[in-house]
Amino acid sequence: MNIDLRSDTLTKPTKGMLEAMWAAEVGDDVFGEDPTVNKLEEKLAGIFGMEAGLFCPSGTMTNQIAIRLHTRPQTEVICHKYSHIYLYEGGGIMSNSHASVKLLDGAYGKISAQDIAENISPDDVHACETTLVSLENTMNKGGGSIYTLEEVRPIKDVCEKNGLKLHLDGARVFNALVESDENPKEWGQIFDTISVCLSKGLGCPVGSVLLGTKAEIKRARKVRKAFGGGMRQAGFLAAAGIYALDHHIGRLKEDHARARELGKMLENHPLVSEVFPVATNIVIARLKGISPEEMLTKLAAKEIKAVRFGKGQIRFVTHLDFGDKGLEEFGRRVKGL
Ligand SMILES: *Cc1c(COP(=O)(O)O)cnc(C)c1O
């Protein structure tokens, strides 16, 4: 058995999802005529109590569109130094929006209202004016850590006081919400835009949705076109999204439980010095006496795949195609390393 825990993007569509895709009613979405895409956008907007949604090929695109909406050249985004928008989107903030970043630090990838307030640049001739704050929930490089409403509300206050927009990179926002048991509608009230990935834990082959006001999504549609993200009969893909929203949200808790078990299996391993607290479906292990590359080779010899994740660290992500049998097998194999 091959145990592939490199990412939760590796899952294949389930039988039920494939059936939903085959059965989709479609049209040309650039003309706004794909009923299934329209339904997905409305459904997800409804879940968060937001006005409108925009289906896009990737989470990188939904984030980059949001950044374009909320910045201008010579302005900046405040975010954590480990943010996906900064580390893993090909320098898009600079090349797509001609904007800059101000990187903050904080435990497990999270930033605080106070730190943000202290780092806002004024509209001064010398400064790169701050126009946007971007948060990530769950926080990938923070080990799948969760922001709670209690932590996010003071950040919203700082943004309102200073006329800043607030974006959520919610690639794994449902992982956060099922775990914290919070209402998506409360999250929808706080953020100007939210980006949600369907292709991560929710198990779709492709797709992300950007949520915002009607006016913002109208502008976003135009930016998506310019980025080359206008798709035609995309309803086949959107149908997978609708299916996932109906069937795959609650089960994320199973991924989290398996991740916690997996974390325990690694905790006392002689080659592991520390396992980040496991909050959702991501397990980051800091290694001792072995490099990530050597460790990955050892794991590969036992048919386990993971990825290097920062200096001296590797990452495992649990997902839809990793069940209890896989977990048991994982435990047996890593014991012998
Ligand atoms: C995966 C991911 C994205 C988007 O990635 P795509 O591969 O472009 O869909 C954005 N933010 C975070 C935190 C992610 O993990």
Side-chain angles (χ1 to χ4, degrees):
M1 185 191 343
N2 196 7
I3 300 176
D4 198 341
L5 300 174
R6 288 173 298 167
S7 173
D8 47 7
T9 55
L10 293 157
T11 55
K12 310 264 168 66
T14 60
K15 192 164 169 283
M17 183 178 278
L18 278 174
E19 278 165 7
M21 292 171 76
W22 278 115
E25 224 188 296
V26 297
D28 189 329
D29 180 50
V30 174
F31 286 80
E33 291 176 5
D34 190 303
T36 310
V37 171
N38 293 341
K39 189 174 160 194
L40 170 67
E41 292 172 346
E42 278 163 30
K43 186 177 172 81
L44 197 55
I47 290 174
F48 284 87
M50 294 176 88
E51 285 179 13
L54 183 70
F55 185 52
C56 290
S58 72
T60 298
M61 190 179 282
T62 46
N63 281 334
Q64 291 298 318
I65 290 172
I67 291 163
R68 171 68 77 85
L69 294 179
H70 303 312
T71 62
R72 302 180 306 280
Q74 293 187 293
T75 65
E76 75 178 8
V77 185
I78 289 181
C79 62
H80 193 279
K81 67 177 186 180
Y82 290 160
S83 297
H84 194 280
I85 59 163
Y86 172 66
L87 284 182
Y88 302 123
E89 298 189 7
I93 298 172
M94 169 276 293
S95 59
N96 293 322
S97 297
H98 297 185
S100 186
V101 278
K102 185 172 279 160
L103 301 175
L104 305 186
D105 210 345
Y108 303 114
K110 300 202 293 180
I111 55 180
S112 69
Q114 190 188 342
D115 216 9
I116 293 166
E118 286 169 2
N119 281 284
I120 296 169
S121 298
D123 183 8
D124 169 280
V125 71
H126 303 92
C128 186
E129 184 193 350
T130 310
T131 60
L132 172 64
V133 173
S134 181
L135 305 179
E136 196 175 303
N137 194 25
T138 66
M139 215 300 167
N140 179 17
K141 214 174 172 182
S145 52
I146 294 176
Y147 277 103
T148 59
L149 279 169
E150 205 180 320
E151 290 168 316
V152 163
R153 284 203 178 104
I155 294 177
K156 175 65 173 177
D157 291 342
V158 168
C159 290
E160 272 186 340
K161 249 188 229 138
N162 293 278
L164 309 181
K165 296 287 185 175
L166 184 58
H167 172 67
L168 180 67
D169 177 354
R172 296 189 181 84
V173 68
F174 283 113
N175 292 87
L177 294 179
V178 300
E179 205 53 44
S180 60
D181 208 15
E182 289 175 346
N183 184 348
K185 290 197 171 63
E186 299 207 59
W187 282 77
Q189 277 173 14
I190 291 173
F191 290 86
D192 293 286
T193 45
I194 299 181
S195 157
V196 182
C197 280
L198 303 165
S199 55
K200 297 275 165 80
L202 294 182
C204 293
V206 175
S208 289
V209 178
L210 181 66
L211 304 173
T213 62
K214 276 195 179 130
E216 258 160 357
I217 294 302
K218 189 174 174 211
R219 286 175 62 212
R221 203 170 283 281
K222 215 163 174 172
V223 177
R224 184 186 69 175
K225 193 77 184 80
F227 284 179
M231 298 184 285
R232 303 298 178 171
Q233 286 73 36
F236 292 116
L237 299 172
I242 293 169
Y243 182 90
L245 295 177
D246 287 337
H247 297 95
H248 290 172
I249 293 178
R251 65 152 305 286
L252 291 170
K253 279 201 162 182
E254 296 176 29
D255 294 344
H256 301 171
R258 288 189 192 104
R260 276 192 296 271
E261 287 306 308
L262 195 146
K264 279 185 206 151
M265 291 169 178
L266 294 170
E267 228 160 44
N268 299 313
H269 196 281
L271 297 173
V272 172
S273 69
E274 181 199 343
V275 177
F276 283 36
V278 181
T280 51
N281 69 330
I282 294 176
V283 183
I284 298 180
R286 187 163 290 152
L287 304 171
K288 61 178 176 200
I290 188 165
S291 72
E293 290 73 18
E294 288 169 317
M295 186 65 168
L296 292 177
T297 306
K298 263 182 183 287
L299 288 167
K302 303 229 169 200
E303 293 191 334
I304 296 173
K305 288 183 182 170
V307 294
R308 180 183 189 275
F309 214 55
K311 213 172 146 196
Q313 295 175 176
I314 57 173
R315 183 191 75 170
F316 302 87
V317 187
T318 60
H319 52 68
L320 194 59
D321 291 344
F322 178 68
D324 287 332
K325 265 200 187 132
L327 181 67
E328 243 177 71
E329 192 53 38
F330 179 92
R332 246 194 306 277
R333 292 183 197 176
V334 293
K335 247 186 211 158
L337 280 185

